[in-house]
Amino acid sequence: MEIEIDSKKNNPLFNRTEVRFTIIHTSEGTPNREIIRSELAEKLNAKKENIIINNINSSFGIQQSTGYAKIYASPKKSEELERKYILKRNKATGKQQKKKEEKGESEEKPEPPKEGEKSAEEKEEKPKEEAKQSKEKKE
């Protein structure tokens, strides 16, 4: 697999570098994004975490693909600007988001009640039962 940089453009508005590249992969399938990100990081002297590959287009009949990537100053900046599905494709969702998700899952689970206390479900059921009984008495 060989990567050639076709064009490299600095975009100061978004604080990133935009790169168009061509991959020549003889007797192989289209390489996955992780391999391409690693190769681009070596070629452009950037960190792999800062590179986001937007798309890879394979050509029919020849073992050649073209692509478009963005190199950000930091992973945090890429998370702010890029769409979520692009980050997911690149497996570039930050450690901060994963930690938040893990904490969110643990917060949703209610703690078991201590001895002598009723659980939240039992507390909710009691007023419902009382309401049903009062309706029956009125009828």
Side-chain angles (χ1 to χ4, degrees):
M1 180 181 82
E2 206 177 304
I3 295 183
E4 298 173 5
I5 306 297
D6 297 334
S7 68
K8 185 177 175 183
K9 181 179 144 186
N10 189 24
N11 189 339
L13 181 64
F14 293 116
N15 197 15
R16 68 184 180 203
T17 304
E18 298 168 355
V19 178
R20 295 205 179 270
F21 57 91
T22 303
I23 306 166
I24 300 168
H25 45 91
T26 52
S27 67
E28 296 176 13
T30 305
N32 67 11
R33 289 175 190 269
E34 288 296 314
I35 295 169
I36 296 170
R37 285 174 66 197
S38 299
E39 293 288 325
L40 282 173
E42 286 179 25
K43 237 187 190 5
L44 299 169
N45 297 327
K47 293 182 181 178
K48 181 181 170 184
E49 300 85 39
N50 298 347
I51 298 175
I52 301 293
I53 297 175
N54 232 37
N55 58 26
I56 304 167
N57 299 318
S58 298
S59 302
F60 180 76
I62 51 176
Q63 286 114 9
Q64 184 173 323
S65 301
T66 57
Y68 176 65
K70 301 170 191 168
I71 304 165
Y72 288 93
S74 68
K76 185 179 178 184
K77 191 70 173 172
S78 66
E79 288 175 13
E80 291 173 6
L81 294 172
E82 287 296 327
R83 289 168 272 169
K84 290 179 183 176
Y85 76 94
I86 296 286
L87 292 171
K88 204 174 205 180
R89 277 186 194 167
N90 285 278
K91 297 178 182 151
T93 51
K95 294 177 183 175
Q96 296 171 349
Q97 284 183 342
K98 289 180 182 177
K99 287 180 183 177
K100 286 180 185 176
E101 289 175 4
E102 289 173 4
K103 288 180 183 177
E105 290 174 3
S106 63
E107 289 175 4
E108 290 175 9
K109 296 177 184 175
E111 293 182 18
K114 296 178 184 176
E115 288 183 33
E117 290 183 4
K118 293 182 180 178
S119 67
E121 294 171 359
E122 291 174 351
K123 290 178 184 177
E124 289 176 9
E125 288 177 9
K126 189 176 180 181
K128 289 178 185 177
E129 290 175 11
E130 291 174 2
K132 286 180 184 178
Q133 290 174 356
S134 62
K135 282 183 183 179
E136 290 174 2
K137 288 179 183 177
K138 288 179 183 177
E139 293 175 352

